[in-house]
Amino acid sequence: MTRAGLVLLGLLALAAAAAPLAAAWLGHDPFTPDLFNRFAPPSAAQPLGTDELGRDVLLRLLYGARVSLAVGLAAALAATLIGTVVGLWAAWRGGWVDAALMRLADGLLALPALPLLVILAALDPSAVGLPRGEAASDMLRIAALLAAFGWVGVARLVRATALSVLARDFVRAARALGVSEARLLWRHVLPQLGPPVAIATALAVGGAVLAESVLSFLGLGIAPPAPSWGNMLANAQELVFQAPLAALWPGLAILLCVAGCNLVADGVARRGR
């Protein structure tokens, strides 16, 4: 299952990396409208046809993969890093530090995440010094929002695992031999956190891609003309009966990405049993 998931995600990543090469090979600009070529059927020059503005669907799907995968990976890695540091710090220090950090995590878990994400994503990015309407700015903003809410589950998982590891005999023996706390955490505790953190990261990537797609679908994520799978779905929602394939391809890409992440997480969990 891990190999199947990695192969699936690897193919998506390779397709995203090859987007400029595909654009040069096909000789199309995925950002330039061609109103005389709207809803063109699939052909050798345009394998998936064109959208409502005459743009190549395949190329926009590949460029959209670059955006959606980058946002999902950045948000997941940031959330995993924050969650690992918070969870490990809470387990190691204990006492009021543990209580304060876990109450903060409980408070964030109690909040309705999706409505808050919608509200925060709708705020003017220029208020925090980010340019408005630029793809890089939108990607950074969405990744930061997703990481701000995504670290909680990782922190609780890391804390529970770290508490179990810190109570084991080899940790007590290391402390009895005078091993420093920094070396103890780095050499003895962190390696034991690898499987659960890998599972959480894989699930977080899929969840972040899905959340970015939802926000972009609602018009609060990646702003056109930069493509992402979410805003491609948003553009196709009014054309479902006229051009159903315009909604099929980005939806299928999201499905494959999330399925690949879940396969990787499930495979790692099975190997760890």
Side-chain angles (χ1 to χ4, degrees):
M1 298 183 77
T2 305
R3 291 174 183 171
L6 288 175
V7 167
L8 191 56
L9 293 176
L11 291 175
L12 289 174
L14 285 176
L21 296 177
W25 180 56
L26 293 174
H28 301 306
D29 183 358
F31 306 101
T32 302
D34 183 4
L35 298 180
F36 294 102
N37 198 29
R38 298 173 68 242
F39 302 121
S43 63
Q46 295 165 328
L48 298 183
T50 61
D51 62 7
E52 73 281 0
L53 295 179
R55 300 169 297 190
D56 190 286
V57 172
L58 175 61
L59 293 181
R60 289 187 64 78
L61 200 64
L62 296 181
Y63 276 94
R66 296 165 71 94
V67 173
S68 295
L69 292 178
V71 171
L73 187 61
L77 291 178
T80 301
L81 179 61
I82 297 171
T84 301
V85 171
V86 171
L88 188 59
W89 183 262
W92 177 49
R93 298 293 295 180
W96 68 268
V97 174
D98 182 19
L101 292 176
M102 288 304 101
R103 296 300 75 76
L104 174 62
D106 291 341
L108 288 176
L109 278 178
L111 296 174
L114 184 57
L116 277 177
L117 282 174
V118 170
I119 293 172
L120 293 174
L123 296 177
D124 187 358
S126 62
V128 292
L130 293 175
R132 186 186 304 179
E134 293 186 5
S137 172
D138 290 338
M139 292 169 63
L140 178 61
R141 176 171 57 89
I142 298 302
L145 288 176
L146 296 178
F149 287 91
W151 64 269
V152 177
V154 180
R156 295 176 67 87
L157 179 64
V158 168
R159 173 184 176 272
T161 307
L163 285 175
S164 174
V165 173
L166 288 170
R168 294 181 185 176
D169 291 339
F170 70 88
V171 174
R172 295 173 181 170
R175 280 176 169 162
L177 291 173
V179 174
S180 65
E181 291 295 322
R183 183 178 176 84
L184 179 67
L185 292 176
W186 182 256
R187 295 293 301 273
H188 298 283
V189 178
L190 273 179
Q192 303 296 322
L193 302 179
V197 169
I199 294 170
T201 304
L203 292 175
V205 171
V209 168
L210 198 57
E212 181 276 323
S213 300
V214 170
L215 293 175
S216 296
F217 180 81
L218 296 174
L220 302 173
I222 308 301
S228 77
W229 293 337
N231 64 29
M232 289 180 70
L233 276 177
N235 294 336
Q237 65 177 328
E238 298 179 357
L239 307 167
V240 171
F241 298 104
Q242 184 178 0
L245 292 180
L248 172 64
W249 299 120
L252 182 61
I254 296 170
L255 173 64
L256 292 177
C257 180
V258 175
C261 293
N262 289 342
L263 284 174
V264 171
D266 202 10
V268 174
R270 288 173 182 268
R271 289 173 64 88
R273 290 175 184 173

